[in-house]
Amino acid sequence: MFSIRKKANSQNYYLCGTECGISKVKNDHIITVGPLEFPLFAGESVHKSCRTSNSHVAEQIAEQATRIIREENPELYNAKTARSNRKNVTWSHNPAVYKPGDPDNIDNWTMYDAFQYRIDDKATSPQVVQILKRLQKRKILTPFPELPDCFGDWPLLDRKLLKVYEEYRWKNVKGMLGRTEVTTATKNTELSHIGPCLTIAEQISQEQGSNSYSRPTIKMPKPTKQRSTFLSKGEVERLYAVLNKKPRSRVKLFLYPTICVNYLGARPVEIARIQWSDVVLDHATPQNSRVRLWNKKNSEGAIRERWVHMNEVVYKIFCDIKKSPRDDYVFRHSYDKPWAVITNTNGVPRVPGFTVHITKAIKAAGLRENVVPYSLRHTFATWLLSQGENIATVADLMGHTNLETTRNYLHILDPVKINAVNNLGIADGTGVKHDKS
């Protein structure tokens, strides 16, 4: 159930918490408590101000928001109710005391133990370790009272449990994110980390001579080939208009990086990495101003850098940003610190925080469901190609080492080609070419 609390320096109450692990509504709603109206929009989180300092009114809003989530997700709510009503029901497999390779323990291993075995392997990368630790704590809500809520407490997956996982794992995700479907890439990423852990458990079982565990065959969903999503100029203007509605001090935080992703063709992480030493501003000839962008595919990969010239809009943005006395980074958040691109704990790369605000603006602008912050980078490439720019030039600006990657953006030119052919003159067989009219 949702609860209420007050934030620092705020008199109004805010909604917080989740119901059935969900904090977003699927449809538009208006909660009315007396004269106060509290709107909820589809796909939007309910974590926002109740616009009242009256705790009684705020609690009523929280109760109605909870009711709405329950009505929109009856399966998850019924599963939650069944678990809360169960009495004297215990799962036959209790979490095992972790002893890698112990013959007396392998028969009682849980998913937590399988994940932990691989976590303790020094050859496992920090990125994989982080994913496995999340899987150990992952909550999967099912209607089966004998199954624990925590995925780590499940027994080692067999064919039956694998089907339960595949069915209810993604239902939970769709409910929490308010999506109609989960991409095959998301599913395959998680399955690709579960599979090796089950293989290890099977190998240990064979080595100990018990052969008590045989891992199920995990079929990876076939990825659907998705074309790069791009925006029209009208859609980009709508997105900018939403970001421009923020207070002036916050416009620079979110609108400026968004424009730079769009007009520099940069990855969001490349924008967050820009330092003033990477920027060349030529005030005498602004079109010669340029910025250095760099990226690497993994922690051990070589750095690939490129210089991209600024157009008039981007040049004005860099001129408007004041250098911070703290460090050399250009783009910063509200605490005057650079946007983090790695986690503080283990150095794993992360997406800059301003992309969250771009995602919210995309929804507020009513853009298509498959539009994401990265679509602005795709838009840069498709706009250039549609204007007839050389594909090799576009590849250099995008930082592509393989031209085939850039060719993926050529699908946008299909409507242009169709129009070009249809605008040709028409020959009627007499050798006379007639203009189309």
Side-chain angles (χ1 to χ4, degrees), residues 11-12 69 76 136 170 215 230 261 275 284 317 326 332 342 375 378 401 410:
Q11 296 181 352
N12 293 336
I69 292 293
L76 297 180
Q136 285 180 323
W170 308 118
R215 61 155 286 182
F230 69 97
V261 172
Q275 301 186 37
I317 286 176
R326 295 192 176 194
R332 324 177 69 79
I342 59 172
S375 301
H378 301 324
T401 56
L410 288 175

Side-chain angles (χ1 to χ4, degrees), residues 240-281:
Y240 290 172
V242 172
L243 291 169
N244 216 6
K245 290 180 181 178
K246 295 181 178 292
R248 180 61 184 169
S249 59
R250 299 180 71 81
V251 166
K252 294 183 180 181
L253 302 182
F254 311 128
L255 178 60
Y256 284 5
T258 305
I259 293 175
C260 289
V261 172
N262 188 189
Y263 284 107
L264 293 175
R267 302 171 178 90
V269 69
E270 292 175 335
I271 295 298
R273 288 180 179 141
I274 296 176
Q275 301 186 37
W276 285 109
S277 57
D278 301 322
V279 178
V280 177
L281 293 176

Side-chain angles (χ1 to χ4, degrees), residues 426-434:
I426 301 173
D428 59 6
T430 62
V432 180
K433 188 177 180 181
H434 304 278

Side-chain angles (χ1 to χ4, degrees), residues 16-150:
C16 58
T18 63
E19 173 59 25
C20 303
I22 300 172
S23 62
K24 296 180 179 180
V25 295
K26 296 180 179 179
N27 304 301
D28 293 342
H29 300 274
I30 295 181
I31 297 176
T32 304
V33 180
L36 179 65
E37 290 188 348
F38 184 75
L40 295 175
F41 300 105
E44 181 182 71
S45 173
V46 303
H47 293 165
K48 58 182 181 178
S49 172
C50 296
R51 297 185 293 182
T52 178
S53 58
N54 187 319
S55 60
H56 180 67
V57 173
E59 287 174 355
Q60 291 186 61
I61 293 175
E63 290 176 1
Q64 293 193 42
T66 301
R67 177 184 56 78
I68 290 171
I69 292 293
R70 290 174 179 176
E71 291 176 351
E72 290 186 342
N73 303 274
E75 290 184 358
L76 297 180
Y77 176 62
N78 292 337
K80 177 183 176 182
T81 304
R83 284 192 302 277
S84 63
N85 292 336
R86 68 190 183 206
K87 296 180 180 179
N88 301 323
V89 177
T90 57
W91 183 248
S92 59
H93 290 73
N94 294 319
V97 178
Y98 177 58
K99 295 178 182 179
D102 178 37
D104 299 327
N105 210 37
I106 184 64
D107 292 342
N108 199 36
W109 265 24
T110 62
M111 290 302 299
Y112 183 97
D113 301 310
F115 293 141
Q116 189 64 40
Y117 196 96
R118 195 169 177 216
I119 288 172
D120 291 345
D121 187 351
K122 294 182 179 179
T124 306
S125 68
Q127 293 91 331
V128 174
V129 167
Q130 186 186 44
I131 293 172
L132 295 177
K133 286 183 176 180
R134 288 177 181 172
L135 286 173
Q136 285 180 323
K137 301 177 182 179
R138 179 79 66 200
K139 283 190 175 182
I140 301 180
L141 307 178
T142 72
F144 307 110
E146 65 272 18
L147 271 180
D149 293 347
C150 180

Side-chain angles (χ1 to χ4, degrees), residues 57-345:
V57 173
E59 287 174 355
Q60 291 186 61
I61 293 175
E63 290 176 1
Q64 293 193 42
T66 301
R67 177 184 56 78
I68 290 171
I69 292 293
R70 290 174 179 176
E71 291 176 351
E72 290 186 342
N73 303 274
E75 290 184 358
L76 297 180
Y77 176 62
N78 292 337
K80 177 183 176 182
T81 304
R83 284 192 302 277
S84 63
N85 292 336
R86 68 190 183 206
K87 296 180 180 179
N88 301 323
V89 177
T90 57
W91 183 248
S92 59
H93 290 73
N94 294 319
V97 178
Y98 177 58
K99 295 178 182 179
D102 178 37
D104 299 327
N105 210 37
I106 184 64
D107 292 342
N108 199 36
W109 265 24
T110 62
M111 290 302 299
Y112 183 97
D113 301 310
F115 293 141
Q116 189 64 40
Y117 196 96
R118 195 169 177 216
I119 288 172
D120 291 345
D121 187 351
K122 294 182 179 179
T124 306
S125 68
Q127 293 91 331
V128 174
V129 167
Q130 186 186 44
I131 293 172
L132 295 177
K133 286 183 176 180
R134 288 177 181 172
L135 286 173
Q136 285 180 323
K137 301 177 182 179
R138 179 79 66 200
K139 283 190 175 182
I140 301 180
L141 307 178
T142 72
F144 307 110
E146 65 272 18
L147 271 180
D149 293 347
C150 180
F151 184 43
D153 293 339
W154 286 27
L156 293 175
L157 294 184
D158 54 19
R159 283 188 296 179
K160 192 173 181 180
L161 279 179
L162 180 61
K163 289 182 179 179
V164 174
Y165 161 83
E166 290 175 338
E167 180 177 358
Y168 291 97
R169 166 72 178 107
W170 308 118
K171 279 187 178 180
N172 291 184
V173 173
K174 287 187 280 188
M176 288 185 288
L177 300 181
R179 293 180 179 174
T180 56
E181 191 54 59
V182 179
T183 63
T184 53
T186 300
K187 295 179 181 179
N188 287 341
T189 298
E190 189 161 302
L191 290 171
S192 66
H193 289 93
I194 293 175
C197 296
L198 298 180
T199 300
I200 290 173
E202 183 181 44
Q203 290 173 350
I204 292 176
S205 178
Q206 293 173 353
E207 290 171 3
Q208 307 307 332
S210 64
N211 291 320
S212 59
Y213 177 69
S214 177
R215 61 155 286 182
T217 301
I218 298 178
K219 295 182 179 180
M220 297 289 187
K222 291 184 179 181
T224 53
K225 190 173 182 181
Q226 297 181 346
R227 291 182 168 184
S228 302
T229 307
F230 69 97
L231 304 179
S232 66
K233 292 187 177 180
E235 289 174 323
V236 170
E237 289 175 358
R238 281 159 52 194
L239 176 62
Y240 290 172
V242 172
L243 291 169
N244 216 6
K245 290 180 181 178
K246 295 181 178 292
R248 180 61 184 169
S249 59
R250 299 180 71 81
V251 166
K252 294 183 180 181
L253 302 182
F254 311 128
L255 178 60
Y256 284 5
T258 305
I259 293 175
C260 289
V261 172
N262 188 189
Y263 284 107
L264 293 175
R267 302 171 178 90
V269 69
E270 292 175 335
I271 295 298
R273 288 180 179 141
I274 296 176
Q275 301 186 37
W276 285 109
S277 57
D278 301 322
V279 178
V280 177
L281 293 176
D282 189 339
H283 298 294
T285 314
Q287 60 266 31
N288 290 335
S289 299
R290 56 198 182 277
V291 60
R292 172 181 172 267
L293 303 174
W294 65 273
N295 187 44
K296 55 181 180 180
K297 285 295 183 182
N298 53 61
S299 58
E300 299 177 357
I303 292 178
R304 298 185 300 192
E305 64 176 42
R306 66 192 186 278
W307 286 89
V308 180
H309 282 76
M310 306 178 189
N311 64 6
E312 183 180 356
V313 175
V314 177
Y315 170 76
K316 289 181 178 179
I317 286 176
F318 278 92
C319 290
D320 190 43
I321 298 176
K322 294 182 180 179
K323 186 175 181 179
S324 172
R326 295 192 176 194
D327 51 56
D328 201 38
Y329 285 94
V330 177
F331 295 98
R332 324 177 69 79
H333 55 64
S334 54
Y335 293 102
D336 195 29
K337 293 182 180 179
W339 295 102
V341 293
I342 59 172
T343 56
N344 295 328
T345 53

